[in-house]
């Protein structure tokens, strides 16, 4: 009976969405907004090779700011709900092979994350991806050395400082009269080189640091309530 | 044409994985199947010419969210059990 | 150039055949430990051979591919080792045909040695 | 190709909705929400796909002229990029709630939470 009701609701959902689905014939071109973003003068103005990065950091920079704020709020609420309990577990020792491999791999993975968000305007990648890669390095650290004490202050201060610098760079563009989150506050440089897209690599690096610190913070919260009370 | 076949196979696999995620009895298998849905989705994004999205999905959808699910499952299992029996090999000192 | 490409193609084909054998082995093997053994040994070799073949075909990409080979060599055996250890300690049963349990023997020996001291 | 992916996306959305509405276990419901997220992302990225388009990364000379007719749409991709990260945050938040609820009632069954039901 109940499943019948659910099926009825799903059928209603499908009937609402079906015209949308059947009228979709594959998009034949870009929308007007995207054509504006991909026009020649705008590409020369922003000077970023990766158009997705250009959209995320400059054109839709306010979205990114809101997204980072949501992530911060999520981390704060999770910290409020999961109070730290004393860890009294007796853990099985990790084998020596795993520890050595982790010691070798953690710096490499962190370096890969930093590479991804510094080169965000040239290759696929950017702040969010690099932050996620850094958080996975932190996960490996948690798994390999479970008894190590992590300084909570470090993640929090890293996150606050990078958020502050991010908002500061954004406001700096407004002060110079260019616009909030404009990338022209630094010289543009030659197209396709590392120091080319103005402030985009700098802003995206701080976004990456902030996202990485926040995700690591959330994961650390989930790890610290694994106590055996 | 090959892309179409591969994409169709990926779609069928994703639907099967989501079915497993909804209906399998063991929660661990369900969580792993959710991670697999994310992994196949990232391959699909690569076919749809979206490498940025593919990277994000591969790192987050199949890596970090699975780990968070496992932390929560572990904690809930401990709450249910209230102390676990020590087995013989655990207590042997390593040195 | 031609001959290099041919060697590369053969190497890649060998690697993919090894991967195929590994996937058949995953279906045929009776318990977790045997499956882990098949999965890791064969897939490490198969992946490395495929990447080596790609190096021979596309010599311009060798830097990234050597880095990839390094990553595969570092992560795949270690993750399999950790998985096998974890499944041993949560007591996933062996198959009936298993005759020797070296980990248990050496752990007992270590325990005796520890109590002597 | 975009038809296949968009169909897959819609079916996964339906599977997620089905899981949310019929399952009783809280973790299973969260898995349903996660599937729903994935489906919506696939639908959005397939809407952005243009036949014959390449990824919006202009690392070749010939892409610089007449760019708008050669690439796929970058705006939905950028939106999905942020949506995935937010999805992780929302999933983590829901899991934290589920953990707290289980600590209070020692049960994950959604039928056992009847405090506000009369």
């Amino acid at each position: 009976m109940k499943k019948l009701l659910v099926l009825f609701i799903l059928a209603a959902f499908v009937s609402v969405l079906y015209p949308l689905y059947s009228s979709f014939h594959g998009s034949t071109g870009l929308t007007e907004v995207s054509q504006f973003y991909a026009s020649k003068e705008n590409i020369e103005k922003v000077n970023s090779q990766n158009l997705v990065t250009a959209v995320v950091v400059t054109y839709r920079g306010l979205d990114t700011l809101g997204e980072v704020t949501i992530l911060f709020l999520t981390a704060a609420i999770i910290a409020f709900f999961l109070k730290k309990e004393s860890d009294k577990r007796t853990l099985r020792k990790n084998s020596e092979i795993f520890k050595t491999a982790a010691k070798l791999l953690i710096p490499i993975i962190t370096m890969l994350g930093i590479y991804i968000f510094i080169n965000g305007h040239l290759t696929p990648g950017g702040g969010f991806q690099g932050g996620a890669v850094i958080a996975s390095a932190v996960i490996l650290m948690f798994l390999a050395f479970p008894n190590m004490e992590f300084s909570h202050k470090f993640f929090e201060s890293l996150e606050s400082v990078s958020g502050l610098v991010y908002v500061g760079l954004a406001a700096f563009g407004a002060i110079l009269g260019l616009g909030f989150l404009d990338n022209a506050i630094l010289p543009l440089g030659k197209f396709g080189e590392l120091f080319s897209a103005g402030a985009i690599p700098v802003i995206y690096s701080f976004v990456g640091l902030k996202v990485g610190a926040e995700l690591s913070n959330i994961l650390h919260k989930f790890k610290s309530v694994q106590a055996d009370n | 044409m090959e892309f179409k076949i591969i994409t169709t196979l990926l779609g069928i696999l994703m639907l099967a994985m989501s079915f497993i995620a909804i209906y399998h009895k063991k929660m661990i298998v369900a969580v792993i199947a959710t991670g697999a849905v994310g992994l196949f989705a990232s391959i699909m994004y690569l076919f749809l010419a979206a490498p940025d999205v593919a990277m994000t999905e591969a790192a987050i959808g199949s890596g970090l969210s699975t780990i968070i699910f496992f932390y929560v499952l572990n904690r809930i299992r401990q709450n249910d059990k209230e102390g676990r029996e020590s087995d013989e090999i655990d207590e042997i000192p390593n040195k | 150039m031609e001959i290099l490409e041919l060697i590369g193609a053969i190497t890649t084909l060998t690697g993919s055949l090894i991967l195929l054998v590994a996937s058949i082995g995953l279906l045929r093997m009776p318990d977790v430990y045997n499956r882990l053994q098949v999965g890791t040994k064969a897939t490490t070799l198969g992946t490395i051979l495929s990447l080596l073949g790609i190096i021979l075909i596309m010599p311009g990409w060798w830097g990234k591919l050597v880095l990839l080979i390094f990553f595969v060599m570092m992560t795949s055996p270690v993750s399999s080792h950790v998985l096998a250890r974890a499944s041993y300690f949560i007591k996933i049963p062996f198959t009936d045909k298993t005759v020797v349990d070296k980990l248990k023997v050496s752990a007992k020996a270590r325990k005796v040695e520890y109590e002597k001291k | 190709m975009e038809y296949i992916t968009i169909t897959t996306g819609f079916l996964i959305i339906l599977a997620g909705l089905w899981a949310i509405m019929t399952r009783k276990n809280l973790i299973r419901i969260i898995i349903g929400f996660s599937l729903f997220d994935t489906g919506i992302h696939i639908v959005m990225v397939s809407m952005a796909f243009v036949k014959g388009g390449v990824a919006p990364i202009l690392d070749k000379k010939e892409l610089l002229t007449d760019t708008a007719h050669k690439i796929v749409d970058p705006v939905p991709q950028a939106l999905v990029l942020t949506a995935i990260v937010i999805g992780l945050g929302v999933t983590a938040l829901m899991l934290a709630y589920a953990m707290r609820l289980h600590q209070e009632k020692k049960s994950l069954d959604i039928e056992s939470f009847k405090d506000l039901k009369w």
Side-chain angles (χ1 to χ4, degrees), chain A residues 92-95 97-98 101 104-105 108-109 112, chain C residues 64 70-71 74-75 78 81-82 85-86 89-90:
Chain A
R92 184 168 54 239
K93 271 185 186 159
N94 279 323
S95 67
I97 301 173
F98 183 33
L104 192 68
L105 280 176
I108 298 177
I109 296 176
L112 177 71
Chain C
K64 283 178 192 174
F70 174 72
F71 261 114
M74 279 307 298
T75 53
V78 171
H81 161 78
V82 173
R85 207 176 134 86
F89 282 118
I90 63 172

mmCIF file of all heavy atoms in Angstrom, chain A residues 92-95 97-98 101 104-105 108-109 112, chain C residues 64 70-71 74-75 78 81-82 85-86 89-90:
data_model
loop_
_atom_site.group_PDB
_atom_site.id
_atom_site.type_symbol
_atom_site.label_atom_id
_atom_site.label_comp_id
_atom_site.label_asym_id
_atom_site.label_seq_id
_atom_site.Cartn_x
_atom_site.Cartn_y
_atom_site.Cartn_z
ATOM 1 N N ARG A 92 45.152 -1.857 17.139
ATOM 2 C CA ARG A 92 46.168 -2.748 16.621
ATOM 3 C C ARG A 92 47.242 -1.909 15.930
ATOM 4 O O ARG A 92 46.950 -0.909 15.296
ATOM 5 C CB ARG A 92 45.519 -3.680 15.616
ATOM 6 C CG ARG A 92 46.439 -4.707 15.078
ATOM 7 C CD ARG A 92 45.659 -5.753 14.329
ATOM 8 N NE ARG A 92 44.812 -5.184 13.308
ATOM 9 C CZ ARG A 92 43.505 -5.329 13.278
ATOM 10 N NH1 ARG A 92 42.886 -5.998 14.219
ATOM 11 N NH2 ARG A 92 42.782 -4.792 12.329
ATOM 12 N N LYS A 93 48.487 -2.335 16.132
ATOM 13 C CA LYS A 93 49.560 -1.537 15.532
ATOM 14 C C LYS A 93 49.581 -1.715 14.028
ATOM 15 O O LYS A 93 49.394 -2.818 13.524
ATOM 16 C CB LYS A 93 50.892 -1.964 16.129
ATOM 17 C CG LYS A 93 51.224 -1.188 17.378
ATOM 18 C CD LYS A 93 52.591 -1.563 17.867
ATOM 19 C CE LYS A 93 52.841 -0.887 19.194
ATOM 20 N NZ LYS A 93 53.881 -1.544 19.953
ATOM 21 N N ASN A 94 49.823 -0.636 13.317
ATOM 22 C CA ASN A 94 49.974 -0.752 11.870
ATOM 23 C C ASN A 94 51.311 -1.397 11.552
ATOM 24 O O ASN A 94 52.274 -1.257 12.293
ATOM 25 C CB ASN A 94 49.912 0.622 11.227
ATOM 26 C CG ASN A 94 48.497 1.082 11.071
ATOM 27 O OD1 ASN A 94 47.618 0.289 10.778
ATOM 28 N ND2 ASN A 94 48.264 2.348 11.298
ATOM 29 N N SER A 95 51.335 -2.081 10.418
ATOM 30 C CA SER A 95 52.583 -2.758 10.073
ATOM 31 C C SER A 95 53.604 -1.731 9.579
ATOM 32 O O SER A 95 53.260 -0.639 9.147
ATOM 33 C CB SER A 95 52.328 -3.800 9.005
ATOM 34 O OG SER A 95 51.971 -3.162 7.819
ATOM 35 N N ILE A 97 55.500 -1.789 7.011
ATOM 36 C CA ILE A 97 55.456 -1.511 5.567
ATOM 37 C C ILE A 97 54.510 -0.364 5.284
ATOM 38 O O ILE A 97 54.831 0.591 4.569
ATOM 39 C CB ILE A 97 54.996 -2.778 4.826
ATOM 40 C CG1 ILE A 97 55.936 -3.935 5.096
ATOM 41 C CG2 ILE A 97 54.890 -2.517 3.353
ATOM 42 C CD1 ILE A 97 55.438 -5.227 4.525
ATOM 43 N N PHE A 98 53.329 -0.435 5.902
ATOM 44 C CA PHE A 98 52.327 0.583 5.669
ATOM 45 C C PHE A 98 52.803 1.943 6.162
ATOM 46 O O PHE A 98 52.653 2.960 5.479
ATOM 47 C CB PHE A 98 51.041 0.158 6.384
ATOM 48 C CG PHE A 98 49.884 1.082 6.191
ATOM 49 C CD1 PHE A 98 49.726 1.761 5.001
ATOM 50 C CD2 PHE A 98 48.955 1.250 7.186
ATOM 51 C CE1 PHE A 98 48.646 2.603 4.820
ATOM 52 C CE2 PHE A 98 47.886 2.093 7.016
ATOM 53 C CZ PHE A 98 47.731 2.770 5.823
ATOM 54 N N ALA A 101 55.468 3.333 3.760
ATOM 55 C CA ALA A 101 54.881 3.782 2.497
ATOM 56 C C ALA A 101 54.092 5.071 2.705
ATOM 57 O O ALA A 101 54.124 5.975 1.862
ATOM 58 C CB ALA A 101 53.973 2.694 1.936
ATOM 59 N N LEU A 104 56.311 7.983 2.841
ATOM 60 C CA LEU A 104 56.801 8.380 1.520
ATOM 61 C C LEU A 104 55.706 9.049 0.703
ATOM 62 O O LEU A 104 55.964 9.987 -0.057
ATOM 63 C CB LEU A 104 57.323 7.140 0.793
ATOM 64 C CG LEU A 104 58.127 7.384 -0.462
ATOM 65 C CD1 LEU A 104 59.415 8.035 -0.074
ATOM 66 C CD2 LEU A 104 58.369 6.093 -1.177
ATOM 67 N N LEU A 105 54.473 8.543 0.854
ATOM 68 C CA LEU A 105 53.418 8.989 -0.057
ATOM 69 C C LEU A 105 52.767 10.298 0.359
ATOM 70 O O LEU A 105 52.335 11.067 -0.492
ATOM 71 C CB LEU A 105 52.335 7.907 -0.161
ATOM 72 C CG LEU A 105 52.644 6.756 -1.078
ATOM 73 C CD1 LEU A 105 51.554 5.728 -1.000
ATOM 74 C CD2 LEU A 105 52.765 7.239 -2.504
ATOM 75 N N ILE A 108 54.184 13.404 -1.206
ATOM 76 C CA ILE A 108 53.967 13.443 -2.653
ATOM 77 C C ILE A 108 52.528 13.819 -2.960
ATOM 78 O O ILE A 108 52.257 14.617 -3.862
ATOM 79 C CB ILE A 108 54.338 12.084 -3.276
ATOM 80 C CG1 ILE A 108 55.805 11.780 -3.048
ATOM 81 C CG2 ILE A 108 54.077 12.096 -4.755
ATOM 82 C CD1 ILE A 108 56.221 10.444 -3.565
ATOM 83 N N ILE A 109 51.587 13.244 -2.194
ATOM 84 C CA ILE A 109 50.175 13.539 -2.478
ATOM 85 C C ILE A 109 49.869 14.999 -2.170
ATOM 86 O O ILE A 109 49.163 15.677 -2.925
ATOM 87 C CB ILE A 109 49.262 12.594 -1.676
ATOM 88 C CG1 ILE A 109 49.479 11.162 -2.136
ATOM 89 C CG2 ILE A 109 47.818 12.952 -1.888
ATOM 90 C CD1 ILE A 109 48.714 10.160 -1.355
ATOM 91 N N LEU A 112 51.130 17.019 -4.952
ATOM 92 C CA LEU A 112 50.237 16.918 -6.110
ATOM 93 C C LEU A 112 49.046 17.857 -5.951
ATOM 94 O O LEU A 112 48.651 18.550 -6.896
ATOM 95 C CB LEU A 112 49.748 15.482 -6.261
ATOM 96 C CG LEU A 112 48.743 15.240 -7.381
ATOM 97 C CD1 LEU A 112 49.422 15.355 -8.705
ATOM 98 C CD2 LEU A 112 48.084 13.904 -7.239
ATOM 99 N N LYS C 64 55.661 11.757 -17.188
ATOM 100 C CA LYS C 64 54.425 11.491 -16.450
ATOM 101 C C LYS C 64 54.216 10.004 -16.247
ATOM 102 O O LYS C 64 53.777 9.555 -15.187
ATOM 103 C CB LYS C 64 53.242 12.067 -17.218
ATOM 104 C CG LYS C 64 53.128 13.561 -17.083
ATOM 105 C CD LYS C 64 51.967 14.072 -17.903
ATOM 106 C CE LYS C 64 52.026 15.586 -17.995
ATOM 107 N NZ LYS C 64 51.010 16.123 -18.876
ATOM 108 N N PHE C 70 55.739 4.657 -10.850
ATOM 109 C CA PHE C 70 56.195 4.752 -9.462
ATOM 110 C C PHE C 70 55.017 4.695 -8.499
ATOM 111 O O PHE C 70 55.039 3.969 -7.496
ATOM 112 C CB PHE C 70 56.980 6.059 -9.290
ATOM 113 C CG PHE C 70 57.377 6.340 -7.881
ATOM 114 C CD1 PHE C 70 58.370 5.594 -7.274
ATOM 115 C CD2 PHE C 70 56.761 7.331 -7.156
ATOM 116 C CE1 PHE C 70 58.723 5.837 -5.976
ATOM 117 C CE2 PHE C 70 57.117 7.579 -5.854
ATOM 118 C CZ PHE C 70 58.098 6.827 -5.268
ATOM 119 N N PHE C 71 53.946 5.457 -8.841
ATOM 120 C CA PHE C 71 52.779 5.459 -7.957
ATOM 121 C C PHE C 71 52.150 4.083 -7.851
ATOM 122 O O PHE C 71 51.804 3.623 -6.756
ATOM 123 C CB PHE C 71 51.744 6.455 -8.464
ATOM 124 C CG PHE C 71 51.782 7.761 -7.740
ATOM 125 C CD1 PHE C 71 52.158 8.914 -8.370
ATOM 126 C CD2 PHE C 71 51.437 7.824 -6.407
ATOM 127 C CE1 PHE C 71 52.202 10.108 -7.703
ATOM 128 C CE2 PHE C 71 51.477 9.009 -5.734
ATOM 129 C CZ PHE C 71 51.859 10.153 -6.377
ATOM 130 N N MET C 74 54.170 1.860 -5.741
ATOM 131 C CA MET C 74 54.115 2.193 -4.317
ATOM 132 C C MET C 74 52.777 1.807 -3.694
ATOM 133 O O MET C 74 52.718 1.270 -2.601
ATOM 134 C CB MET C 74 54.311 3.707 -4.115
ATOM 135 C CG MET C 74 55.716 4.178 -4.152
ATOM 136 S SD MET C 74 56.748 3.272 -3.040
ATOM 137 C CE MET C 74 55.970 3.671 -1.504
ATOM 138 N N THR C 75 51.672 2.112 -4.386
ATOM 139 C CA THR C 75 50.379 2.005 -3.705
ATOM 140 C C THR C 75 49.769 0.620 -3.777
ATOM 141 O O THR C 75 49.221 0.142 -2.792
ATOM 142 C CB THR C 75 49.397 3.009 -4.306
ATOM 143 O OG1 THR C 75 49.368 2.834 -5.705
ATOM 144 C CG2 THR C 75 49.792 4.408 -3.988
ATOM 145 N N VAL C 78 51.116 -2.099 -1.279
ATOM 146 C CA VAL C 78 50.923 -1.702 0.115
ATOM 147 C C VAL C 78 49.454 -1.787 0.503
ATOM 148 O O VAL C 78 49.106 -2.295 1.572
ATOM 149 C CB VAL C 78 51.469 -0.276 0.333
ATOM 150 C CG1 VAL C 78 51.079 0.226 1.692
ATOM 151 C CG2 VAL C 78 52.950 -0.280 0.197
ATOM 152 N N HIS C 81 48.542 -5.321 0.981
ATOM 153 C CA HIS C 81 49.103 -5.823 2.236
ATOM 154 C C HIS C 81 48.227 -5.403 3.418
ATOM 155 O O HIS C 81 47.892 -6.212 4.293
ATOM 156 C CB HIS C 81 50.514 -5.255 2.395
ATOM 157 C CG HIS C 81 51.057 -5.288 3.781
ATOM 158 N ND1 HIS C 81 51.558 -6.426 4.336
ATOM 159 C CD2 HIS C 81 51.140 -4.339 4.726
ATOM 160 C CE1 HIS C 81 51.954 -6.168 5.564
ATOM 161 N NE2 HIS C 81 51.708 -4.899 5.811
ATOM 162 N N VAL C 82 47.820 -4.121 3.432
ATOM 163 C CA VAL C 82 47.009 -3.635 4.540
ATOM 164 C C VAL C 82 45.658 -4.339 4.569
ATOM 165 O O VAL C 82 45.163 -4.734 5.635
ATOM 166 C CB VAL C 82 46.838 -2.106 4.419
ATOM 167 C CG1 VAL C 82 45.877 -1.599 5.444
ATOM 168 C CG2 VAL C 82 48.157 -1.440 4.588
ATOM 169 N N ARG C 85 46.105 -7.912 5.876
ATOM 170 C CA ARG C 85 46.356 -7.895 7.318
ATOM 171 C C ARG C 85 45.062 -7.642 8.076
ATOM 172 O O ARG C 85 44.741 -8.354 9.046
ATOM 173 C CB ARG C 85 47.366 -6.791 7.611
ATOM 174 C CG ARG C 85 48.187 -7.017 8.836
ATOM 175 C CD ARG C 85 49.207 -5.908 8.942
ATOM 176 N NE ARG C 85 49.228 -5.409 10.300
ATOM 177 C CZ ARG C 85 49.952 -5.930 11.252
ATOM 178 N NH1 ARG C 85 50.717 -6.977 10.990
ATOM 179 N NH2 ARG C 85 49.940 -5.432 12.454
ATOM 180 N N ALA C 86 44.288 -6.642 7.601
ATOM 181 C CA ALA C 86 43.045 -6.327 8.293
ATOM 182 C C ALA C 86 42.086 -7.499 8.238
ATOM 183 O O ALA C 86 41.486 -7.871 9.245
ATOM 184 C CB ALA C 86 42.401 -5.106 7.659
ATOM 185 N N PHE C 89 43.079 -10.121 10.715
ATOM 186 C CA PHE C 89 42.844 -9.837 12.131
ATOM 187 C C PHE C 89 41.383 -9.770 12.494
ATOM 188 O O PHE C 89 41.041 -9.887 13.669
ATOM 189 C CB PHE C 89 43.548 -8.537 12.536
ATOM 190 C CG PHE C 89 45.007 -8.723 12.732
ATOM 191 C CD1 PHE C 89 45.930 -8.055 11.966
ATOM 192 C CD2 PHE C 89 45.463 -9.603 13.688
ATOM 193 C CE1 PHE C 89 47.275 -8.251 12.142
ATOM 194 C CE2 PHE C 89 46.807 -9.808 13.876
ATOM 195 C CZ PHE C 89 47.710 -9.134 13.094
ATOM 196 N N ILE C 90 40.489 -9.534 11.511
ATOM 197 C CA ILE C 90 39.074 -9.668 11.873
ATOM 198 C C ILE C 90 38.577 -11.079 11.598
ATOM 199 O O ILE C 90 37.390 -11.351 11.636
ATOM 200 C CB ILE C 90 38.180 -8.646 11.164
ATOM 201 C CG1 ILE C 90 38.208 -8.847 9.663
ATOM 202 C CG2 ILE C 90 38.570 -7.236 11.495
ATOM 203 C CD1 ILE C 90 37.197 -7.985 8.963
#
